[in-house]
Amino acid sequence: MVHHSGSIQSFKHQKGLNISKSEITNEASLKPSRRSLPCLAQSYAHSKSLSQSTSLFQSTESESQAPTSVTFVSAEKSEQVNPEENKKDSALQCSFADLSDFCLALGKDKDYMGESEHATYDRSRLLNDFVIKDKPESKTKVSKNDMNYIASSGLLFKDGKKRIDYILVYRKTNIQYDKRNTFEKNLRAEGLMLEKEPAIANPDIMFIKIHIPWDTLCKYAERLNIRMPFRKKCYYIDQKNKSVSRAQNYFKRIKKWMSHNPMVLDKSAFPEESACYTGPFSRARIHHFMINNKDTFFSNATRSRIVYHMLERTKYENGMSKVGIRKLINNGSYIAAFPPHEGAYKSSLPIQTHGPQNNRHLLYERWARWGMWYKHQPLDLIRLYFGEKIGLYFAWLGWYTGMLIPAAVVGLCVFFYGLITMNESQVSQEICKATEVFMCPLCDKNCSLQRLNDSCIYAKVTYLFDNGGTVFFAIFMAIWATVFLEFWKRRRSILTYTWDLIEWEEEEENLRPQFEAKYYKMEVINPITGKPEPYQPSSDKVTRLLVSVSGIFFMISLVITAVFAVVVYRLVVMEQFASFKWNFIKQHWQFATSAAAVCINFIIIMLLNLAYEKIAYFLTNLEYPRTESEWENSFALKMFLFQFVNLNSSIFYIAFFLGRFVGHPGKYNKLFERWRLEECHPSGCLIDLCLQMGVIMFLKQIWNNFMELGYPLIQNWWSRHKIKRGIQDVSIPQWENDWNLQPMNIHGLMDEYLEMVLQFGFTTIFVAAFPLAPLLALLNNIIEIRLDAYKFVTQWRRPLPARATDIGIWLGILEGIGILAVITNAFVIAITSDYIPRFVYEYKYGPCANYVKQNENCLKGYVNNSLSFFDLSELGMGKSGYCRYRDYRAPPWNSKPYEFTLQYWHILAARLAFIIVFE
């Protein structure tokens, strides 16, 4: 006799146990999972009695295998449900159409059934339904599609029954056959089935098709604590609560209206999904799980993940370090290992009438095509095909792109405000009318006096980015960055709950094989699991971290050296461009100097990035991180630090150092007592900062998009071209087509996240100097989503479907960038722009200092006030008179010539006060 409690409970992890009949009949009550508690509490509250039945489950296979059928020995006659008991104000509505196996094991409880379930059950029918269902009528729509694409795409062994779960590739001419033979022998010993088949296009290539049988699949699913569905979700509805009913109707109307939204996907072709409670898989309790078909019970992503787990932990030679498919690929024994795609991504039959051929075809039609750029992303299908880790990346990218819309709109409004009021700006008008004001030479040898009105165009362009709306926009973007991150945390929590990832990380994070092989001799008892595991001594860990940190600082110093070299270049060519033969360059030599320096700096950035990746990879492996997530976080942090400093160091120089320490005419500061330091343009330094940001952001996005899509397209086209030349009229199997695609980056999603995080830095850190940055980022991301989708679906081999609960260390990096953005924008407004000098002049030194006159412009005379005088006779150039330069210094006729004036100290105090208030 087995007495089952009324609550549905999750299963504890059991590893490598042989279960007897007595153990099954006396199994412990199941621990309720976090997700099942709400429904269970309601079920328990409404349960009044449970029917008891005597049953004995006998496995027809050996006890080491997962049972696939049961034999019913005896059962009591099922009880009739009393109709009177159903007269109550609340009802528990739950469908058990697919839970006959669960009902048999649990007994029949009338409180778990809807009104249609109150008839007496035929025990023989329940028994037949409990056996794993292979009948066509019992298969769902998804199951039929799965089996159809498997058969049509040829993703089976030669016997036409065993599906291919993983592919290994090697060259026949490779001499390391002993390692391969040992490795393959050990794989078979672990329970995998292997089949070899030569390539059609290249006789030197050999494919090894891997199939994981049901018994092995169940064993490792239990070992890895993989959560599987064991009952459908049930929803309690209080029929007396009219307000809930009205709210439900209201949301139904909103949902109906949203269905007409052109951005909403047409999900008629999508696989049907049912919400189910899940628990860690257990062979001892296999009768609890909803197994309609053993071929489709475990998804393709789960099967591939289990096979890869076995490949990573199988030896190929004696010794603890001789383990794992990655090492075999590194030493050349194999040249590739990947899960196969689910068939072709295109079909001659329209998806509207014939439906999708497979999930890959569905993803291409409803997600990866460029014509779907305005549609929402099918995140659940992305997660099903590529795994939760890639699904979270696209969820974050879509969320980031959507949040850029308000930032882009506000930035565009600030830009248009400057465009509309540009001709009304008092500063621009004064500069454009200053025909008799001569600026001091900006270089020593070849530069001549320059009229101030020659800077008229630069002054107007500067006003587009440095106007009254700049401060508001900087404050808005500081708030936007915080709101974006907080709202993403909420969105991530929803996804992790929906995708059943809440308890995954703390239960299923496995040690890296490299860590296990390195420290297998030093074991300690894990206080949580109570099992011995490898341990890295603290002294060894600290030593390796110190070496790694030293390498990081060395590379950062190398970046600063490169920036210094570019600064020296600007100083050297400055005078050369000022005496250039072409009149255009001679007249605009400052612009030519800045543009050439930006292009050279971009080339240096791209070259240094190649070295950074290899150095970061070496330093991360040197640390021997404990888990895969720790390795990824450490590697990502190093790459971010390298590339962030590499990309932004020149921008920081222009924003905060250019033109700050030049001295004054007659007493200029010189680098190495030779080259005079560069000054800002007469219209200010902000135009140089805008140019630097715009060029780097634009060129880097074009280069990244080419490397992400253009380069794989060219390589894949060349591969197909070679195949067509070698063979004709021969059908290429799916695994060989996948082999001809480009592999995913060895670092996974690191490059994708890094590109977007660096863009986020550009969008927020110096946004006060470039309000159009959010708009450029939005346009780029709209393309980026479809470009990445097209790349994942059509141009790359299928990546390993990995699991994750968040975006990893990138969230902390984004929060750090948000804090840095507030600081830098405050300094850009206070130091780089002329906002504070204009503000001080307007309320302290201008015509409105004492009182405001009607129709009086408070900035009248600002340009003349911001320029100091210098006596040309002191230069020894044979010229007399005065020239002007940007600074607040006493004139030469003063008792203390060229000393800072009181206005300079007022402006400096105002700048510091603004930074504090802004923060």
Side-chain angles (χ1 to χ4, degrees), residues 141 145 266-271 345-367 369 372 381:
K141 178 181 177 182
N145 287 341
D266 177 18
K267 295 189 177 181
S268 58
F270 282 62
Y345 65 88
K346 284 187 177 180
S347 174
S348 58
L349 303 175
I351 192 173
Q352 292 82 1
T353 57
H354 292 77
Q357 301 299 312
N358 51 66
N359 285 335
R360 188 188 185 195
H361 178 216
L362 181 58
L363 281 171
Y364 175 77
E365 292 290 340
R366 291 291 184 263
W367 180 47
R369 288 194 303 112
M372 308 298 291
L381 188 61

Side-chain angles (χ1 to χ4, degrees), residues 499-746:
W499 292 350
D500 199 18
L501 296 171
I502 292 179
E503 299 176 355
W504 171 78
E505 186 173 10
E506 60 192 43
E507 294 178 357
E508 302 176 35
E509 187 71 42
N510 298 311
L511 298 178
R512 295 183 74 232
Q514 293 83 352
F515 182 85
E516 291 180 304
K518 178 69 176 177
Y519 299 104
Y520 72 97
K521 293 182 179 179
M522 293 169 275
E523 290 187 342
V524 296
I525 301 299
N526 189 312
I528 298 176
T529 63
K531 299 176 182 178
E533 62 179 32
Y535 169 73
Q536 183 181 17
S538 300
S539 58
D540 181 73
K541 187 173 185 178
V542 171
T543 303
R544 293 180 180 277
L545 283 176
L546 288 176
V547 173
S548 181
V549 171
S550 301
I552 293 173
F553 278 108
F554 172 76
M555 293 307 300
I556 292 177
S557 63
L558 185 62
V559 174
I560 297 174
T561 304
V563 173
F564 180 76
V566 174
V567 171
V568 173
Y569 163 81
R570 293 172 68 114
L571 301 180
V572 171
V573 303
M574 185 170 57
E575 295 188 2
Q576 303 300 323
F577 281 145
S579 60
F580 211 74
K581 295 181 179 180
W582 294 354
N583 288 331
F584 177 80
I585 295 180
K586 188 175 181 179
Q587 293 175 0
H588 305 280
W589 61 269
Q590 279 189 299
F591 177 81
T593 302
S594 299
V598 169
C599 295
I600 293 175
N601 186 53
F602 177 76
I603 294 173
I604 293 175
I605 288 172
M606 293 294 103
L607 292 177
L608 288 177
N609 283 345
L610 299 177
Y612 292 157
E613 184 173 344
K614 296 180 180 180
I615 294 174
Y617 189 79
F618 170 77
L619 293 177
T620 306
N621 286 334
L622 187 66
E623 296 174 6
Y624 279 98
R626 184 173 177 272
T627 62
E628 198 66 35
S629 61
E630 289 180 8
W631 188 95
E632 292 177 358
N633 290 341
S634 178
F635 181 74
L637 181 61
K638 292 179 181 61
M639 285 298 297
F640 169 76
L641 289 175
F642 291 159
Q643 294 212 18
F644 181 81
V645 175
N646 190 23
L647 201 62
N648 292 281
S649 53
S650 60
I651 299 177
F652 271 91
Y653 163 74
I654 293 175
F656 304 125
F657 297 98
L658 179 63
R660 307 296 168 198
F661 311 101
V662 295
H664 62 84
K667 193 178 179 181
Y668 285 113
N669 298 321
K670 294 187 177 183
L671 183 65
F672 303 133
E673 299 296 330
R674 182 176 180 182
W675 294 299
R676 173 179 157 185
L677 296 181
E678 187 178 3
E679 290 186 66
C680 291
H681 198 273
S683 59
C685 295
L686 201 64
I687 188 68
D688 292 313
L689 183 59
C690 293
L691 178 65
Q692 184 85 5
M693 288 187 62
V695 171
I696 290 182
M697 190 173 185
F698 180 73
L699 291 180
K700 194 170 190 308
Q701 288 179 351
I702 290 179
W703 176 258
N704 288 338
N705 290 339
F706 170 76
M707 292 303 295
E708 286 185 14
L709 184 61
Y711 185 66
L713 275 174
I714 294 173
Q715 287 189 316
N716 290 336
W717 172 83
W718 180 247
S719 298
R720 292 193 299 268
H721 179 69
K722 289 193 297 184
I723 292 174
K724 289 180 180 179
R725 286 193 307 174
I727 58 173
Q728 294 181 355
D729 301 329
V730 177
S731 177
I732 303 296
Q734 181 61 47
W735 57 85
E736 191 163 348
N737 285 329
D738 292 348
W739 157 247
N740 292 320
L741 297 177
Q742 296 303 305
M744 185 181 177
N745 191 296
I746 190 174

Side-chain angles (χ1 to χ4, degrees), residues 59 61-69 214-215 218 281 283 286:
S59 175
E61 301 181 7
S62 63
E63 294 183 349
S64 63
Q65 298 175 340
T68 58
S69 63
W214 171 256
D215 300 336
C218 292
F281 184 80
R283 289 175 292 172
I286 195 171

Side-chain angles (χ1 to χ4, degrees), residues 30 70 116 206 308 398 404 418 422 440 691 699 741 754 774 793 854:
L30 305 179
V70 297
S116 61
M206 179 67 74
Y308 183 76
L404 278 173
M422 181 172 57
C440 295
L691 178 65
L699 291 180
L741 297 177
L754 182 61
V793 174
Q854 190 175 5

Side-chain angles (χ1 to χ4, degrees), residues 776-902:
L776 293 180
L778 174 63
L779 297 177
N780 176 79
N781 286 8
I782 292 174
I783 299 173
E784 182 75 20
I785 290 177
R786 303 305 157 179
L787 186 147
D788 284 348
Y790 185 83
K791 178 177 60 180
F792 271 93
V793 174
T794 69
Q795 300 302 310
W796 276 1
R797 297 173 195 162
R798 187 178 184 180
L800 177 70
R803 308 198 81 187
T805 58
D806 52 30
I807 61 175
I809 198 173
W810 299 110
L811 182 60
I813 293 175
L814 289 171
E815 291 177 338
I817 291 177
I819 296 172
L820 182 62
V822 177
I823 300 172
T824 53
N825 280 303
F827 276 88
V828 166
I829 295 173
I831 296 176
T832 310
S833 75
D834 288 338
Y835 174 78
I836 298 300
R838 291 197 302 264
F839 183 83
V840 172
Y841 175 82
E842 187 174 358
Y843 292 101
K844 181 66 177 176
Y845 298 95
C848 302
N850 299 322
Y851 58 92
V852 179
K853 297 180 182 179
Q854 190 175 5
N855 299 327
E856 179 75 19
N857 195 316
C858 296
L859 287 176
K860 186 177 180 180
Y862 166 74
V863 174
N864 184 62
N865 177 266
S866 64
L867 299 176
S868 299
F869 288 89
F870 179 75
D871 190 354
L872 285 172
S873 61
E874 297 182 23
L875 291 177
M877 298 173 60
K879 295 182 180 180
S880 60
Y882 299 100
C883 66
R884 310 294 295 272
Y885 61 98
R886 284 173 55 91
D887 211 340
Y888 293 93
R889 292 181 182 269
W893 56 83
N894 192 279
S895 59
K896 295 181 179 180
Y898 310 125
E899 294 290 331
F900 287 119
T901 62
L902 183 62

Side-chain angles (χ1 to χ4, degrees), residues 215-251:
D215 300 336
T216 308
L217 198 59
C218 292
K219 179 176 71 175
Y220 276 90
E222 180 179 17
R223 185 175 297 178
L224 297 176
N225 263 354
I226 294 178
R227 302 181 69 88
M228 301 303 295
F230 66 87
R231 62 162 291 181
K232 286 187 177 180
K233 284 186 177 179
C234 42
Y235 302 94
Y236 175 73
I237 301 175
D238 190 352
Q239 297 177 353
K240 280 188 175 182
N241 195 339
K242 295 183 180 180
S243 61
V244 173
S245 229
R246 285 196 299 268
Q248 285 180 340
N249 292 332
Y250 175 71
F251 284 117

